[in-house]
Amino acid sequence: MFLDKYIEPLNYCAENFMQILDANNPNTQKAVEKGLLLYRQGFVSQVKIDNEKVTGAVQDVTPVKVILDLNFIQTSSCTCYTEGICRHQLAVFFYFLGLAGKVSTWIADWRKPNKKPLELKNLKLMRASDLLQDNETNEPDYTEWITSFNESFDSLIAAKSQKPHNITEMYYIYNRKLKSNAPFQNEWKLLYLLVGNVYTFKKFLLLSKTLNHSATTINRYYRHIYHDLLTGIEENIYKLANFTFPFSFDQFLERLKGECSDILVINPIIKFESIQIYRMLWTNLLTKKQWQLDEAARLSAISSSSFAEKIAIIHLGILLKEDQKAIDHIRSLKTTIIPYMIYWMDYFNSRKAWNRLEPYIMSYIHPLKDYLSIEYDDIDYCHEFSIIAIKSIAPFCEAKNRSDLLEKAYIQTLPFSFRHYEAFLYENALFDKWIDLFTYMGMGIDELDKYQIKKLQEYDQSLLLSLYHRSIQEHIDLKTREHYRIAVRQIKKLRTLYKKLKKSNDFERFLILTLERTKRLRAFHEECRKGKLIHAEN
């Protein structure tokens, strides 16, 4: 059975193909005919529909994989590397369309001479027609877009938001309606979707504040919507980067600036996502220097800035290359700014601005330990953040050969970075520090494999002494027969080490002291006699 939730994406995809494919072009006709043949011969398989993308395999002369983007069909891909829409993409589209049994109808409409844009109701797939409107062909107008977003949001989401569990379902209906009204021209469509996501994010912030929803309520019912909108904004910004903006974009971006500034202060519960959107827009779209100067002046004039506005001031300082001011602000915020600095690390890394990045890294590494001590209750988060933090400075350290800074970051994020720091020391043959790290973490010889022990013996056998001593004592303290046996085996290995180091007298003193301390542990002494160690007491 064809699920209702796939009808709107299918409609949109069918209309896009109808507009893109020229029925009068012989090459296009051949591609459609071959795609239809592949579909009808059953050569399409492994079709999956996920997150408004359709993936499938087509068994042609050479097997290929296809990904159809239902929202932006031009970005679809196929491993055959044919330029444009290929027969394999069409075969998967026909398979998808065939689930609703409307392939013949689409082919007939496409072949009609002097065809008009496809009327979706001809496909009889309009079970959600009361929620959709026909695409308008008017010139793009920002005010009309906002009016449309407002009306749809208020009627579909705000009207049914008294019960928070309804919000997610209505959001997906609202989102499909928003996409159905997008302009057809590629760059305008992407800008429309971007503005729609930003404005919808703003409306959700206002909704959460108006309904006085707590962080618990938001997290439980619809926090994922904020993440979904954030991801959509990021994807549309990335796609827009492939286009040269027309001059008519400027007035739309000018209006978008206002929406961008508003989201910083509406709802502090969603401050991380709000700050992230603000930074992405000012970094990638609102790039005119005068706009950035005006925004920096506006923020600086605020007498009592919120935390989000302070982050915005730092970000604009970075964009305007006022690094010292930005660093001073960063230091004033201490540990609270740490999770927000990863974005700036990535910003500098992507531009290979190593000279500018160095002072930021110094301000970043120092507070890491204090920040992790605050978040210590959430062990999983601390582990994940430590890895991300270290990865964010690794490109700089590699490019500038500053392994000392990388090591400082490892030390500041201990114990969460132990495994990565241990690998770093081992790979760089810093075995003295490597053993010190094991001792610091309370780990013994049991945590090393045979290859590592052999490597240490080749480098400096004396480094193993402390690990053996610790491990022997730990096994004795466990006071079980099995652990006594392990302790005896390790004592015998320790004896061999001392002999190679020509320090047999030191070993004898160690054994005498150990036997004296454990004189009440008869089972341990018995294992020593079995292991022929007890004679050393004499």
Side-chain angles (χ1 to χ4, degrees):
M1 180 179 176
F2 192 72
L3 298 177
D4 287 352
K5 68 178 181 179
Y6 297 135
I7 290 175
E8 312 310 334
L10 174 58
N11 287 339
Y12 195 72
C13 179
E15 182 178 1
N16 265 333
F17 270 119
M18 186 71 73
Q19 294 286 350
I20 292 169
L21 299 172
D22 183 3
N24 299 317
N25 187 317
N27 293 330
T28 305
Q29 291 172 2
K30 288 181 182 178
V32 171
E33 289 170 4
K34 290 180 180 178
L36 189 60
L37 187 63
L38 288 169
Y39 157 66
R40 286 179 172 164
Q41 288 180 339
F43 290 151
V44 181
S45 62
Q46 303 174 29
V47 175
K48 294 180 182 178
I49 308 169
D50 181 37
N51 197 24
E52 299 191 351
K53 287 190 177 181
V54 179
T55 59
V58 180
Q59 182 62 49
D60 203 349
V61 178
T62 301
V64 295
K65 298 284 186 181
V66 172
I67 300 176
L68 289 183
D69 187 335
L70 300 181
N71 288 327
F72 201 62
I73 206 68
Q74 289 90 338
T75 62
S76 300
S77 62
C78 176
T79 54
C80 73
Y81 300 110
T82 299
E83 188 175 347
I85 304 298
C86 67
R87 61 183 183 271
H88 308 115
Q89 295 176 40
L90 288 165
V92 173
F93 163 64
F94 289 137
Y95 182 97
F96 185 35
L97 192 61
L99 296 176
K102 297 300 175 183
V103 175
S104 299
T105 304
W106 187 91
I107 291 291
D109 287 343
W110 179 72
R111 285 174 173 166
K112 284 180 182 177
N114 301 321
K115 65 179 186 300
K116 296 180 181 179
L118 176 66
E119 295 290 339
L120 295 180
K121 54 191 174 186
N122 290 341
L123 293 178
K124 299 180 181 179
L125 294 172
M126 299 299 292
R127 279 171 282 183
S129 59
D130 56 320
L131 299 176
L132 298 174
Q133 299 174 356
D134 294 332
N135 283 334
E136 296 184 10
T137 57
N138 297 333
E139 287 294 319
D141 185 280
Y142 192 92
T143 303
E144 288 182 5
W145 289 359
I146 297 301
T147 302
S148 173
F149 302 151
N150 248 326
E151 292 174 353
S152 298
F153 190 94
D154 291 343
S155 61
L156 292 173
I157 299 176
K160 298 187 179 181
S161 61
Q162 295 304 318
K163 295 181 179 179
H165 63 268
N166 289 332
I167 292 177
T168 294
E169 180 181 356
M170 299 313 299
Y171 163 72
Y172 288 119
I173 295 173
Y174 162 83
N175 200 35
R176 290 199 297 270
K177 184 176 182 181
L178 183 149
K179 290 177 180 177
S180 72
N181 291 326
F184 182 73
Q185 195 173 353
N186 294 340
E187 59 268 33
W188 283 107
K189 175 183 176 181
L190 290 171
L191 182 62
Y192 169 88
L193 294 175
L194 175 65
V195 172
N197 283 334
V198 173
Y199 192 76
T200 303
F201 188 93
K202 177 182 174 181
K203 291 287 286 184
F204 266 108
L205 292 175
L206 291 167
L207 181 70
S208 300
K209 186 176 181 180
T210 302
L211 297 175
N212 199 26
H213 283 169
S214 64
T216 302
T217 301
I218 293 172
N219 291 340
R220 181 177 181 182
Y221 292 107
Y222 59 96
R223 186 69 178 249
H224 64 281
I225 293 177
Y226 288 110
H227 296 161
D228 184 54
L229 291 167
L230 175 61
T231 302
I233 291 168
E234 187 174 13
E235 289 178 353
N236 288 321
I237 287 175
Y238 174 76
K239 291 176 181 177
L240 273 170
N242 297 319
F243 293 92
T244 301
F245 294 173
F247 290 117
S248 50
F249 261 34
D250 286 355
Q251 57 180 314
F252 286 77
L253 297 178
E254 183 86 40
R255 295 282 297 276
L256 185 61
K257 278 199 299 129
E259 316 291 355
C260 183
S261 300
D262 292 342
I263 64 175
L264 279 178
V265 294
I266 295 174
N267 194 340
I269 296 175
I270 317 294
K271 67 175 180 293
F272 184 86
E273 293 86 348
S274 302
I275 290 169
Q276 203 71 350
I277 290 173
Y278 181 91
R279 293 194 291 188
M280 286 194 299
L281 290 173
W282 279 100
T283 301
N284 300 288
L285 282 182
L286 308 174
T287 54
K288 286 190 175 181
K289 186 173 182 179
Q290 190 57 50
W291 287 356
Q292 294 175 353
L293 288 169
D294 293 343
E295 178 70 0
R298 183 189 72 80
L299 291 167
S300 299
I302 298 172
S303 57
S304 181
S305 300
S306 66
F307 177 78
E309 288 170 330
K310 290 176 182 177
I311 298 291
I313 290 172
I314 294 170
H315 185 63
L316 288 165
I318 290 172
L319 296 179
L320 293 167
K321 299 184 178 180
E322 297 173 351
D323 293 324
Q324 191 54 54
K325 288 183 181 179
I327 290 169
D328 291 341
H329 281 297
I330 287 171
R331 288 172 179 164
S332 70
L333 293 174
K334 300 180 180 178
T335 58
T336 55
I337 199 173
I338 291 299
Y340 298 90
M341 289 196 67
I342 292 173
Y343 181 91
W344 295 320
M345 299 294 108
D346 293 340
Y347 170 82
F348 287 119
N349 286 332
S350 65
R351 289 158 177 77
K352 297 184 179 180
W354 311 128
N355 292 333
R356 290 185 63 197
L357 177 55
E358 184 169 356
Y360 288 93
I361 288 181
M362 300 301 294
S363 301
Y364 179 45
I365 291 175
H366 183 67
L368 280 175
K369 194 174 189 67
D370 292 336
Y371 173 73
L372 291 172
S373 67
I374 296 170
E375 301 291 338
Y376 201 86
D377 291 340
D378 191 344
I379 298 297
D380 291 338
Y381 170 77
C382 289
H383 276 288
E384 184 179 354
F385 180 81
S386 298
I387 294 169
I388 294 171
I390 290 167
K391 284 183 177 179
S392 69
I393 67 170
F396 168 83
C397 295
E398 184 178 351
K400 302 294 284 185
N401 195 25
R402 291 296 303 274
S403 59
D404 59 311
L405 285 180
L406 192 59
E407 187 173 357
K408 281 184 182 178
Y410 281 126
I411 293 170
Q412 288 293 95
T413 52
L414 284 172
F416 309 105
S417 61
F418 165 69
R419 286 299 173 193
H420 292 82
Y421 185 30
E422 179 255 338
F424 168 81
L425 293 174
Y426 187 81
E427 289 169 4
N428 289 278
L430 300 171
F431 295 120
D432 294 33
K433 291 183 179 180
W434 191 59
I435 294 299
D436 289 343
L437 177 63
F438 268 78
T439 304
Y440 168 79
M441 295 296 293
M443 303 174 75
I445 199 72
D446 296 330
E447 278 73 26
L448 301 181
D449 59 40
K450 291 180 180 180
Y451 178 79
Q452 289 174 320
I453 293 173
K454 184 179 178 182
K455 190 81 172 176
L456 281 173
Q457 287 175 334
E458 292 173 357
Y459 177 75
D460 185 354
Q461 296 186 77
S462 64
L463 294 175
L464 289 169
L465 296 178
S466 62
L467 292 182
Y468 272 115
H469 280 288
R470 173 184 289 275
S471 184
I472 289 166
Q473 189 59 51
E474 286 175 352
H475 284 297
I476 293 173
D477 290 342
L478 290 171
K479 296 181 180 179
T480 67
R481 181 73 71 166
E482 180 60 32
H483 284 285
Y484 289 155
R485 293 191 189 103
I486 296 173
V488 168
R489 287 199 296 269
Q490 291 185 352
I491 290 173
K492 293 168 78 173
K493 290 180 180 177
L494 186 61
R495 180 178 62 186
T496 303
L497 268 179
Y498 273 113
K499 282 183 178 179
K500 289 181 178 178
L501 294 169
K502 298 181 180 180
K503 294 182 179 180
S504 297
N505 290 336
D506 291 345
F507 171 76
E508 290 176 7
R509 283 194 293 271
F510 160 73
L511 185 56
I512 291 170
L513 289 172
T514 301
L515 293 173
E516 179 65 25
R517 285 198 306 266
T518 59
K519 60 186 177 182
R520 294 186 180 181
L521 302 177
R522 287 180 294 178
F524 174 65
H525 281 247
E526 184 180 332
E527 292 300 326
C528 287
R529 283 193 293 272
K530 288 180 181 178
K532 299 180 180 179
L533 288 173
I534 205 73
H535 69 279
E537 186 178 13
N538 300 323

